[in-house]
Amino acid sequence: MHYFSLNKQAPDSSFKNAVIKGLAPDKGLYFPKSIQPLPKSFFDTIDQLSDTEIAFEVIKQFVFPEIPEKELRQIIEDTLSFDFPVIALNDSISVLELYHGPTMAFKDVGARFMARCLGYFNQNNSEKITVLVATSGDTGGAVAHGFLGVKGVDVVILYPSAKVSEIQEKQLTTLGQNITALEVDGVFDDCQYMVKRAFLDHELTSKLQLTSANSINVARWLPQMFYFFFAYKRLKVSHDKIVFSVPSGNFGNICAGMMAQQLGLPVNTFIAANNANKVVTDFLKSNSYEPRPSVQTISNAMDVGDPSNFVRILEIYQHDFDRLKENLSSYSFTDAETRSAMLEIYNNYNYVADPHGAVGYLGAKSYLENHPDAHCVFLETAHPTKFLDVVEKVIQKKIELPAQIQSVMGKKKSAIPIQNYEGLKAFLLKT
Ligand SMILES: *Cc1c(COP(=O)(O)O)cnc(C)c1O
């Protein structure tokens, strides 16, 4: 598969090059040059396929021939070593649990897939690759775990000091080996800005082979298509066309869902569920995209003021605002609304949602007000224990730590404090 840059000022790229470079030389995001829908027979028999077979069929056109069939099957097997259950809360709302991976956030899938692709491409390469990644909470842990021990790859994670949960911080600061955490005196947008600036810095890029593991990287973004197919497989018998409510930050996950729809997945529409960071909710009202600084919320992985994947969504809809609006609804919710939703879900359905999932639930409920016949699936993007203090305070109950979380809690944090871009640069030049 070939990819082009959405800024249209760079040559087309192979999958391999797009994974290694992250961004195109003109700083555009890569996008596949063609999208071949899957045959009808695939959807007719999807319930007879295993998750790994589905994933293989879904992703192969985007990575062939650079990763051959045998290796791709192995990468998928290794990536998807956990389940993706769908649980019905009532007749209109189900939840798709995406948190059964090693760091208990949906980002495990993309991070593990990307790490294995990069490991495959770099196996005979003497030049080291440095993965530079900004995290608002969950990316850091998922990337750290996904890349831990991958040969020839160093990972440097920037996270905003005191703005991620204790568990999130442990997950990204306790691994050691090829993983380094930089604790930034600032907010997520500062971290993201520093990463972007590093990619533009010739002094750095002439000395280091830098790449990103944010959802701008096609190998992290595209495997997120899998979830939507898995949900369809699990719900197909009872519901023909479903609506996905996706708690959104950088809009990588929802944009992957839209790619799944381009492949032929029968989806009615998408709901972008936002917290107070609502650039896209506002865009759909005004047709004017106005990025702004992020504000801090209890669903911190969605505290993004300028979602990087939004340009990919515009590309999918060929910048046709009306077509996009037909296929995307968006709502924004306050922290107070999110807390009440968590309590409501707990009281009514005996289900514990994390703040991100709760925002997704609220998106589904808002949509159902005008579309009572729809079946909405909201994505539960992280396990509630990752936001323990918020969740326990709301539902007034202790929740048990799963084994994945328990194993990091006793470990010692190791992070390097960074004040500004110069600090980052000095660190990178030293390594
Ligand atoms: C990253 C993340 C999101 C947002 O996903 P995007 O692909 O950036 O829109 C939502 N919830 C959780 C728990 C996350 O970690």
Side-chain angles (χ1 to χ4, degrees):
M1 168 64 72
H2 278 80
Y3 292 80
F4 68 98
S5 163
L6 289 177
N7 283 357
K8 313 231 165 83
Q9 305 293 320
D12 288 348
S13 164
S14 63
F15 175 67
K16 175 177 175 175
N17 180 67
V19 176
I20 293 177
K21 299 284 191 229
L23 272 179
D26 62 359
K27 306 306 156 202
L29 271 66
Y30 281 118
F31 195 88
K33 284 207 81 169
S34 70
I35 301 171
Q36 279 307 320
L38 294 164
K40 184 171 172 297
S41 56
F42 171 77
F43 294 100
D44 289 345
T45 56
I46 195 168
D47 36 341
Q48 291 152 37
L49 301 177
S50 67
D51 285 354
T52 50
E53 279 169 305
I54 293 172
F56 176 77
E57 293 303 322
V58 166
I59 201 84
K60 68 179 185 192
Q61 65 172 297
F62 300 101
V63 306
F64 276 0
E66 293 142 88
I67 300 187
E69 170 162 354
K70 184 165 159 275
E71 284 75 11
L72 179 59
R73 286 194 188 275
Q74 190 59 52
I75 288 173
I76 289 172
E77 287 284 339
D78 294 346
T79 300
L80 299 177
S81 56
F82 43 89
D83 194 19
F84 302 83
V86 175
I87 291 158
L89 295 190
N90 59 33
D91 287 346
S92 318
I93 303 183
S94 296
V95 44
L96 169 63
E97 292 183 348
L98 298 178
Y99 58 65
H100 293 276
T103 71
M104 311 213 84
F106 80 93
K107 294 187 173 76
D108 279 328
V109 169
R112 285 153 71 88
F113 187 84
M114 178 185 164
R116 284 159 180 80
C117 289
L118 209 52
Y120 173 75
F121 290 137
N122 211 33
Q123 59 192 345
N124 300 318
N125 194 346
S126 55
E127 197 188 354
K128 222 177 200 169
I129 295 179
T130 303
V131 171
L132 195 57
V133 64
T135 184
S136 58
D138 281 337
T139 302
V143 167
H145 281 257
F147 282 83
L148 184 67
V150 173
K151 244 183 59 209
V153 182
D154 278 341
V155 176
V156 178
I157 300 166
L158 285 80
Y159 73 99
S161 182
K163 297 203 169 51
V164 302
S165 78
E166 185 190 353
I167 288 170
Q168 287 176 329
E169 184 170 44
K170 287 278 185 190
Q171 286 181 326
L172 61 95
T173 58
T174 58
L175 288 173
Q177 295 188 46
N178 56 332
I179 315 292
T180 307
L182 303 181
E183 182 173 1
V184 174
D185 181 13
V187 295
F188 169 68
D189 287 326
D190 298 319
C191 301
Q192 183 144 285
Y193 162 79
M194 283 194 220
V195 168
K196 284 186 180 154
R197 184 158 166 200
F199 285 109
L200 294 170
D201 188 328
H202 290 290
E203 203 186 333
L204 280 179
T205 53
S206 62
K207 297 206 173 84
L208 294 169
Q209 175 69 51
L210 286 183
T211 192
S212 159
N214 287 96
S215 49
I216 56 169
N217 195 300
V218 292
R220 238 209 71 197
W221 167 55
L222 289 170
Q224 302 180 129
M225 290 187 295
F226 302 160
Y227 318 136
F228 300 88
F229 287 89
F230 296 167
Y232 176 71
K233 165 183 153 181
R234 287 157 175 71
L235 285 166
K236 188 181 163 215
V237 192
S238 39
H239 306 282
D240 191 27
K241 281 212 167 181
I242 44 191
V243 173
F244 285 103
S245 178
V246 186
S248 294
N250 257 325
F251 280 70
N253 205 4
I254 194 167
C255 182
M258 290 171 168
M259 289 293 284
Q261 191 183 30
Q262 298 294 303
L263 289 183
L265 187 74
V267 179
N268 249 347
T269 192
F270 289 91
I271 301 164
N274 286 149
N275 59 25
N277 297 280
K278 58 185 180 82
V279 206
V280 174
T281 306
D282 290 346
F283 170 77
L284 288 177
K285 286 190 192 127
S286 65
N287 194 5
S288 154
Y289 182 82
E290 286 166 28
R292 53 192 87 128
S294 64
V295 295
Q296 205 186 334
T297 72
I298 55 169
S299 46
N300 65 28
M302 312 199 297
D303 294 352
V304 182
D306 184 8
S308 48
N309 281 284
F310 195 63
V311 289
R312 284 189 171 132
I313 293 182
L314 293 177
E315 177 65 25
I316 292 174
Y317 293 97
Q318 302 284 303
H319 294 261
D320 181 335
F321 181 71
D322 295 324
R323 262 188 64 209
L324 171 60
K325 238 185 123 146
E326 262 167 44
N327 201 43
L328 178 67
S329 300
S330 182
Y331 310 94
S332 146
F333 303 97
T334 63
D335 279 355
E337 289 169 320
T338 307
R339 286 195 176 89
S340 328
M342 288 161 63
L343 194 59
E344 177 179 315
I345 299 168
Y346 183 62
N347 287 340
N348 293 0
Y349 309 111
N350 196 24
Y351 187 85
V352 181
D354 96 295
H356 304 77
V359 172
Y361 167 82
L362 284 170
K365 267 189 64 172
S366 296
Y367 183 82
L368 285 164
E369 282 172 17
N370 295 320
H371 307 83
D373 296 334
H375 190 84
C376 290
V377 179
F378 74 88
L379 275 48
E380 178 47 305
T381 44
H383 191 280
T385 51
K386 294 199 77 175
F387 305 91
L388 203 61
D389 35 350
V390 179
V391 176
E392 287 186 341
K393 216 186 251 162
V394 169
I395 66 169
Q396 297 284 316
K397 191 181 160 241
K398 282 260 162 241
I399 37 183
E400 211 169 303
L401 295 188
Q404 288 104 311
I405 304 279
Q406 262 172 24
S407 67
V408 293
M409 287 315 278
K411 294 195 183 148
K412 195 172 167 326
K413 163 183 163 183
S414 162
I416 298 172
I418 294 282
Q419 303 303 324
N420 50 32
Y421 181 72
E422 281 62 42
L424 169 66
K425 186 166 173 175
F427 170 80
L428 289 173
L429 287 173
K430 217 167 58 223
T431 55

